[in-house]
Amino acid sequence: VSNLHSVTILLDINDAREEGCLARIRKYFETRGMSCEIWFLDLNKKHKEGEESPDPERTITKKDLNWFDKPSRERTSKISGENPELFISLVNNNSFTIAFITKSLPAKFKIGRMQLKTRIFDLVIEDSPSGEFTASQAFDEIVKYLTIIPIKCRRQTTLQTRQSTLPIHGEFLGAT
């Protein structure tokens, strides 16, 4: 992780409201000298008062999706234009929206909570057999693996990883 400079995170809007979640994520990457951009996925139809997004400009809503849940070109361009080296989806579903966003990103290493049909994630953190992880718990698991896996992006933006199988909650699929 020490050789990476940028990360983009996709977080469900409901998980963003979890106390301390956003601050913990930002602090982790800031202390490592990485820029951290967080995008929110808000597919709720109605909101209660006071449940607005922490950052409306970085929120993908139901209105941003077409009839088959593809995000608008404007939103997709903004996310991919950040050119992250690392992408983390903390959204706990495998919808077409997640797949499309993940595929459109130029990130060299991609981490998710559920594997997609196209097996696009390099690392998957699945829920514990004893229960579903919160976004914070999933992030804690991801951090454990980020300290184990040496991810180095060179100036030519190539990725080097050590091929290995990770125990219990993770599945390492190799670099893309």
Side-chain angles (χ1 to χ4, degrees):
V1 178
S2 61
N3 293 331
L4 299 176
H5 303 290
S6 61
V7 61
T8 294
I9 296 179
L10 184 62
L11 185 62
D12 187 289
I13 193 71
N14 299 316
D15 294 329
R17 294 183 182 111
E18 184 183 330
E19 188 173 331
C21 182
L22 290 175
R24 286 180 58 236
I25 292 170
R26 285 189 175 114
K27 182 178 179 182
Y28 175 81
F29 291 108
E30 285 173 4
T31 58
R32 284 152 183 79
M34 296 176 67
S35 69
C36 177
E37 301 297 338
I38 300 177
W39 282 80
F40 305 97
L41 185 63
D42 183 0
L43 302 180
N44 300 324
K45 292 183 180 178
K46 294 186 178 182
H47 295 90
K48 295 176 186 173
E49 192 171 320
E51 286 189 347
E52 294 82 24
S53 171
D55 188 349
E57 288 297 314
R58 293 185 167 281
T59 301
I60 300 166
T61 65
K62 196 81 171 151
K63 292 178 185 177
D64 295 315
L65 307 178
N66 68 8
W67 64 274
F68 60 92
D69 291 340
K70 177 183 169 188
S72 69
R73 182 173 291 169
E74 176 190 354
R75 289 291 187 198
T76 306
S77 295
K78 283 184 181 180
I79 297 171
S80 62
E82 293 171 354
N83 204 16
E85 294 171 309
L86 174 63
F87 173 68
I88 300 173
S89 173
L90 290 173
V91 179
N92 197 18
N93 75 47
N94 59 356
S95 69
F96 177 77
T97 304
I98 304 298
F100 189 86
I101 290 169
T102 304
K103 282 184 178 183
S104 68
L105 287 171
K108 298 298 179 187
F109 199 78
K110 299 174 183 181
I111 302 172
R113 303 245 342 245
M114 288 185 165
Q115 190 54 272
L116 303 171
K117 290 179 184 177
T118 56
R119 302 186 66 79
I120 196 161
F121 289 117
D122 300 303
L123 175 67
V124 174
I125 303 299
E126 295 178 346
D127 291 333
S128 167
S130 61
E132 188 175 311
F133 285 144
T134 64
S136 289
Q137 291 169 327
F139 183 72
D140 290 342
E141 289 293 314
I142 289 168
V143 166
K144 288 178 189 176
Y145 291 114
L146 288 177
T147 58
I148 295 170
I149 302 169
I151 303 170
K152 299 178 181 177
C153 288
R154 295 183 180 176
R155 287 195 179 148
Q156 301 91 3
T157 65
T158 59
L159 178 70
Q160 295 179 342
T161 60
R162 178 174 36 128
Q163 295 284 336
S164 63
T165 303
L166 300 175
I168 305 172
H169 303 298
E171 176 185 351
F172 183 69
L173 301 174
T176 56

